[in-house]
Amino acid sequence: MRRIIPIAPHRTRGLPPPAMPTGAAPDGALLRDALGRPLRDLRISVTDRCNFRCSYCMPAEAFAHGHAWMQHSELLRFEEITRLARCFVARGVRKLRITGGEPLLRRGLERLIEQLAALRTPDGAPLELALTTNGTLLARRARALKDAGLQRVTVSLDALDEALFARINGVGASPRGVLEGIDAALAAGLVPLKVNVVVRRGSNEGQIVPLARHFRGSGVALRFIEYMDAGGAHGWRMAQVVPSVQVLARLQREFPLAPLAPAAPGETATRYAWLGAGGQPDARLGEIGLISSVTQPFCHECCRARLSMDGKLFLCLFATQGYELRDVLRSGASDAELDAAIAAIWSARHDRYSALRTSLSPEARQAPRVGMSYIGG
């Protein structure tokens, strides 16, 4: 029933299926993978298109004019996404995150948000529903997204400097539009709001302190992410990584910070609170997060699955293969058959690329992997 799809650099191509996973969890049981990790988060990509051409994600040379984007018929319909999400929720997922590409390019996205916001866990609790965006279209959509049931957003912003930001995004966009989107999201109540910064040596490490100064006092959670080799990362080198310990040292030279406990099981960020005038943590100021996915991998706690816009299920950001669910859906499969497919796939999962990265051969590290533009970050 299920097909495994090896990854091409920027798009998947179907090949004859190998043997399928076996040994699924019993009906209705919450899932754990082969390493004992639960399934809690599902990241759902809704489009392969983006209005940026960031060099570490969708570089212009690889996604130039004439690039073959997916046809609308290839994309999962909103009703198909919702049906799959309902199956995942029955097996333990408690958080849904909408990604892309740039998800706000998907027409009618508010309708999908409404459908997902109506889902409930087996005990009747609502899900956590979030969205990741580059923020350029957020100012005009924030209120409608909130009204549809979206709870919060994460916005990517790698620099405040106009010229540097224009070079990073590859299309000359200004950070002013992103900041306007952040302000609109805060005004609409899409909180807690997070701002993600991918830090690359030789590029934007000089923006660490200016970004911290800008967002201190805003209530925003500002998160600095180590530059990863996801999807091959188009020439990624370890020398380009600014370790989180160095980011923290820069911040602590300028600002008093205090460590915070993890916000939830499987939390990817090490969190720090701003200290207020009295020398005590002040949540109203926001917080700092450090995501050390290269120097301090957190594979042992990873509880995330990723669903591509064309219905393939990936078990790791660094995956080399995805499992076909769209064809299962469109073949007339019952919910029980969908559940069985999901349970078998997750129960056989053993992915932990980041934990193994330094012990892998150069050939293994350079193997074609799914791109962030295909399944989101």
Side-chain angles (χ1 to χ4, degrees):
M1 179 185 297
R2 288 152 283 144
R3 289 188 297 147
I4 296 181
I5 310 294
I7 302 302
H10 306 297
R11 187 167 174 158
T12 55
R13 303 293 184 189
L15 291 178
M20 290 296 105
T22 58
D27 289 349
L30 299 184
L31 296 179
R32 289 189 177 271
D33 69 9
L35 301 179
R37 298 168 294 186
L39 173 60
R40 292 198 187 98
D41 297 357
L42 178 64
R43 302 194 172 191
I44 303 168
S45 177
V46 295
T47 180
D48 60 335
R49 298 171 188 258
C50 187
N51 51 353
F52 277 9
R53 291 295 178 268
C54 300
S55 58
Y56 60 81
C57 184
M58 293 181 69
E61 60 270 22
F63 293 85
H65 179 72
H67 176 77
W69 303 105
M70 289 188 182
Q71 299 299 309
H72 187 73
S73 61
E74 297 180 82
L75 305 180
L76 286 177
R77 297 185 291 272
F78 290 163
E79 292 74 18
E80 291 175 324
I81 292 173
T82 302
R83 186 181 173 202
L84 283 172
R86 185 179 294 110
C87 292
F88 278 96
V89 169
R91 286 295 193 152
V93 163
R94 297 297 178 261
K95 176 180 175 181
L96 303 175
R97 175 175 294 280
I98 307 301
T99 70
E102 170 47 52
L104 296 184
L105 291 175
R106 180 74 184 261
R107 185 177 301 175
L109 185 65
E110 289 83 359
R111 184 161 56 88
L112 174 63
I113 297 297
E114 288 179 348
Q115 294 177 20
L116 296 177
L119 297 178
R120 293 294 183 268
T121 67
D123 59 2
L127 304 174
E128 182 179 349
L129 183 56
L131 177 144
T132 296
T133 172
N134 64 31
T136 55
L137 304 174
L138 189 55
R140 71 185 75 165
R141 305 279 292 278
R143 176 56 60 184
L145 290 166
K146 176 66 175 179
D147 290 346
L150 188 68
Q151 296 168 2
R152 62 181 185 84
V153 295
T154 296
V155 179
S156 299
L157 178 62
D158 291 339
L160 291 174
D161 179 86
E162 291 269 354
L164 176 57
F165 185 70
R167 288 199 300 273
I168 291 173
N169 65 58
V171 296
S174 167
R176 292 193 300 273
V178 181
L179 295 172
E180 290 170 2
I182 291 171
D183 289 342
L186 291 171
L190 291 169
V191 292
L193 190 149
K194 297 177 181 178
V195 172
N196 281 352
V197 184
V198 176
V199 183
R200 285 187 294 167
R201 193 178 304 280
S203 175
N204 65 333
E205 70 266 42
Q207 293 290 289
I208 294 170
V209 171
L211 281 160
R213 286 201 184 101
H214 180 88
F215 286 107
R216 185 179 187 273
S218 66
V220 163
L222 179 63
R223 308 196 304 178
F224 296 98
I225 303 173
E226 292 180 343
Y227 176 46
M228 294 177 287
D229 51 335
H234 312 288
W236 181 91
R237 302 188 309 278
M238 187 66 191
Q240 296 172 304
V241 177
V242 180
S244 290
V245 292
Q246 296 181 16
V247 174
L248 180 61
R250 289 189 185 215
L251 292 170
Q252 288 180 320
R253 286 196 293 266
E254 302 287 336
F255 312 102
L257 299 170
L260 290 170
E267 172 72 67
T268 59
T270 303
R271 303 166 59 228
Y272 292 85
W274 300 108
L275 299 186
Q280 297 298 315
D282 189 344
R284 295 171 300 177
L285 300 178
E287 66 179 53
I288 292 291
L290 302 174
I291 299 180
S292 313
S293 46
V294 176
T295 62
Q296 301 174 53
F298 36 80
C299 299
H300 63 289
E301 292 186 330
C302 181
C303 53
R304 289 172 293 283
R306 292 172 165 86
L307 182 65
S308 70
M309 72 292 296
D310 59 340
K312 296 178 181 64
L313 181 63
F314 296 90
L315 305 182
C316 179
L317 182 59
F318 302 92
T320 58
Q321 62 184 21
Y323 296 83
E324 178 65 73
L325 292 181
R326 185 191 65 193
D327 289 355
V328 178
L329 269 172
R330 296 183 181 178
S331 71
S334 66
D335 284 355
E337 289 171 319
L338 287 172
D339 173 81
I342 292 167
I345 292 167
W346 186 265
S347 297
R349 176 192 188 230
H350 54 79
D351 301 69
R352 53 193 183 106
Y353 172 83
S354 286
L356 300 175
R357 179 188 284 107
T358 56
S359 64
L360 296 174
S361 67
E363 293 76 19
R365 287 198 300 270
Q366 294 166 10
R369 303 184 186 280
V370 62
M372 286 192 294
S373 62
Y374 187 68
I375 57 170

